Amino acid sequence: MSVTYFKPRDRFDFSKDSLDIGNPLQWDRSHFLKHFFKRVFTIRDDRIDEFYQRHLAYYLSQHPDGKEQIFFKYFWSLIERQLKVLLGTNVYDEHHLRNEREIVRLQKFTSMLISLDRWNIHKSNDAVIAQQESEIFALKQEVTRLKADLKKATAFETEGYINIPEGYRNTVLHLHLQMQELKTPEGKELMFSQTQSVWMKMICKYFREGDKEINYETIRRYFPSDKREPGDKHADIPAKSKLFTINPAKKRS
């Protein structure tokens, strides 16, 4: 019975950070396991090892012939069994979020116990299966999160694109370069980006020339990272392609 392995809480012990099991007043010892896991799920992470050592010392004090291996095996079986129960719950369970928090806590306990396991008890078939189920659960949670992130990222994706007539790609590039120079009446940049790659990626992703993809490296020379010192590889838009000029609208009275 659990009460012979784990130290019960003393009566009238109202300390908030107690590691002992149970209530400070009268409580039913037949519900020991419920109180045990209530304590497991509430103690701080940095006291997990202390929790183990405290109850091990209690067990050995109550059983002169007892061995740590026996205590460890029983402790491990409790954590392993509850972890398997939680891993088997439906993700649509009304207590799903609480179950996830408790799974993470039990995984921290198993990590601590494995580090203390000199007897390789955790390598039993049931333990290995429980560990694998735990890892599978974590992977499923990660997949769910990644799918949600992907759904958000692709919410505005489209298979369509803006088509430029053959030979007029540079004309469109010139318009984009002009847009970078536009300013608001207050003198602020109308469209600001930290790097030129944003413009190039946007053009390559959403524009086509004669229904053909626009090569990133080909247009790169028109978008220097430093406009003050564009470098030898920079090229200006040819004059014949500068067909349009963007000018501020006249102020309306």
Side-chain angles (χ1 to χ4, degrees):
M1 185 173 175
S2 299
V3 72
T4 66
Y5 286 84
F6 299 95
K7 185 179 184 304
R9 189 170 187 169
D10 294 332
R11 292 194 67 184
F12 307 114
D13 174 13
F14 293 99
S15 59
K16 295 182 179 180
D17 59 349
S18 174
L19 296 177
D20 298 337
I21 312 300
N23 291 326
L25 299 176
Q26 186 69 29
W27 56 284
D28 189 345
R29 294 303 195 267
S30 66
H31 296 157
F32 193 90
L33 276 181
K34 291 183 179 179
H35 291 281
F36 169 80
F37 281 108
K38 182 179 179 181
R39 184 68 61 237
V40 163
F41 294 135
T42 55
I43 62 174
R44 300 197 313 267
D45 289 350
D46 60 357
R47 302 194 74 191
I48 290 177
D49 183 70
E50 182 184 355
F51 180 82
Y52 173 86
Q53 297 299 337
R54 178 173 179 80
H55 291 287
L56 169 62
Y58 170 79
Y59 167 77
L60 294 177
S61 70
Q62 299 298 307
H63 302 82
D65 297 329
K67 297 179 180 180
E68 182 180 358
Q69 180 179 359
I70 297 174
F71 174 80
F72 180 95
K73 187 173 183 179
Y74 186 70
F75 196 128
W76 174 269
S77 68
L78 293 180
I79 300 297
E80 178 189 40
R81 184 175 64 187
Q82 186 62 19
L83 182 58
K84 290 178 69 175
V85 169
L86 290 175
L87 290 171
T89 57
N90 194 308
V91 294
Y92 298 107
D93 186 275
E94 60 178 322
H95 303 300
H96 176 61
L97 293 178
R98 186 191 68 188
N99 292 342
E100 282 193 48
R101 290 194 298 270
E102 293 180 352
I103 286 171
V104 171
R105 172 52 62 91
L106 293 180
Q107 288 173 334
K108 291 179 179 178
F109 265 85
T110 58
S111 295
M112 180 275 294
L113 291 172
I114 289 173
S115 70
L116 299 175
D117 188 5
R118 305 190 301 275
W119 313 278
N120 288 327
I121 292 171
H122 73 280
K123 292 185 177 180
S124 66
N125 287 338
D126 288 344
V128 170
I129 291 172
Q131 181 64 24
Q132 290 175 339
E133 289 178 344
S134 177
E135 293 172 356
I136 290 171
F137 176 83
L139 289 173
K140 285 182 177 179
Q141 294 301 105
E142 180 67 9
V143 168
T144 300
R145 184 186 66 80
L146 291 174
K147 283 183 176 179
D149 290 345
L150 180 61
K151 186 176 181 179
K152 290 180 181 178
T154 58
F156 298 102
E157 288 290 340
T158 175
E159 294 182 359
Y161 52 81
I162 300 170
N163 194 41
I164 303 168
E166 188 76 35
Y168 287 90
R169 180 202 64 197
N170 288 347
T171 299
V172 173
L173 299 186
H174 184 231
L175 290 173
H176 282 85
L177 290 168
Q178 288 184 75
M179 285 191 286
Q180 294 183 38
E181 304 301 325
L182 298 179
K183 294 185 181 298
T184 66
E186 296 79 20
K188 296 181 180 180
E189 292 175 290
L190 181 62
M191 289 177 279
F192 173 77
S193 65
Q194 292 285 354
T195 65
Q196 289 292 297
S197 63
V198 176
W199 293 87
M200 293 184 285
K201 288 178 180 178
M202 177 183 68
I203 293 168
C204 292
K205 185 172 184 178
Y206 294 111
F207 289 80
R208 297 289 186 271
E209 182 184 11
D211 292 315
K212 296 178 182 177
E213 291 187 2
I214 296 173
N215 187 288
Y216 182 89
E217 294 300 324
T218 301
I219 68 172
R220 191 172 187 173
R221 63 181 181 270
Y222 300 116
F223 293 85
S225 57
D226 187 346
K227 295 181 180 180
R228 293 169 298 181
E229 297 182 10
D232 297 335
K233 295 183 179 180
H234 169 66
D236 191 17
I237 298 293
K240 65 178 182 179
S241 297
K242 297 179 180 180
L243 303 180
F244 305 98
T245 301
I246 301 177
N247 292 314
K250 292 182 180 180
K251 293 183 179 180
R252 297 180 179 179
S253 57

